[in-house]
Amino acid sequence: AIPSMAVLGLVWAYILSPLGSGVLNSVLDATLGVGPVPWLSDATLAKVSVIVVGVWGGVGWHAVLYLAYLQSIPSEYYEVATIDGAGSWKQFLHITLPLLTPAMVISQFLLMTGGLKVFDLPYTLTGGGPGFETYTITQSIITMGVGQGRYAVASALAVVFTIAVAALAVGQLLLSRRIERRVL
């Protein structure tokens, strides 16, 4: 089972705690003698931490997607290419890469839409801080609507955000189809 990003955020908030009691800081202190690193209280390190945890949390799913597409490529293609004298680089360029294009399109689409609507990871990992450095648009929409009771503003932001995400998604799909036609 894949844990939710909110759970990952809570676990990694404990690991990356900027205090000396954080797991990573304890290990760094015990092994290298390095003092507490402000992983979640420094603006740059907080952004990097959110990105690294997000990538770490999603890489497994995308690896399974690519593996499934790789396993669906018939081995006969490679056998014929080998008989025709194609080396491993040419086989990769002319067989593997074109047949992985649909997986890349799906992966990029999911990464883009997921990245735009991210809420749970930065919220549980940093609370949007330090300051507003890791505060996202979706956090703003939810905080305004649920936390502050400003439903009209939150609804308007949500509609504008949905239109922007839809425009980006359509643009990405059109570009991906153009690339797929060229590669395949």
Side-chain angles (χ1 to χ4, degrees), residues 67-174:
L67 182 61
Y69 271 86
L70 279 171
Q71 290 179 339
S72 71
I73 299 173
S75 61
E76 292 84 16
Y77 292 175
Y78 296 106
E79 292 170 11
V80 170
T82 303
I83 292 169
D84 286 344
S88 56
W89 179 247
K90 285 201 177 221
Q91 288 179 17
F92 174 76
L93 282 179
H94 298 288
I95 297 171
T96 307
L97 195 58
L99 293 176
L100 278 181
T101 304
M104 288 186 257
V105 169
I106 292 168
S107 180
Q108 289 172 357
F109 181 76
L110 291 173
L111 286 169
M112 185 202 59
T113 56
L116 287 171
K117 64 183 179 83
V118 68
F119 165 76
D120 44 2
L121 181 63
Y123 183 76
T124 56
L125 189 60
T126 64
F132 291 99
E133 292 295 324
T134 62
Y135 202 70
T136 63
I137 294 172
T138 50
Q139 277 180 281
S140 180
I141 292 169
I142 292 170
T143 303
M144 274 188 200
V146 176
Q148 299 173 2
R150 297 172 59 193
Y151 304 113
V153 175
S155 296
L157 277 174
V159 168
V160 170
F161 182 65
T162 302
I163 292 168
V165 169
L168 283 172
V170 168
Q172 183 182 15
L173 285 174
L174 292 174

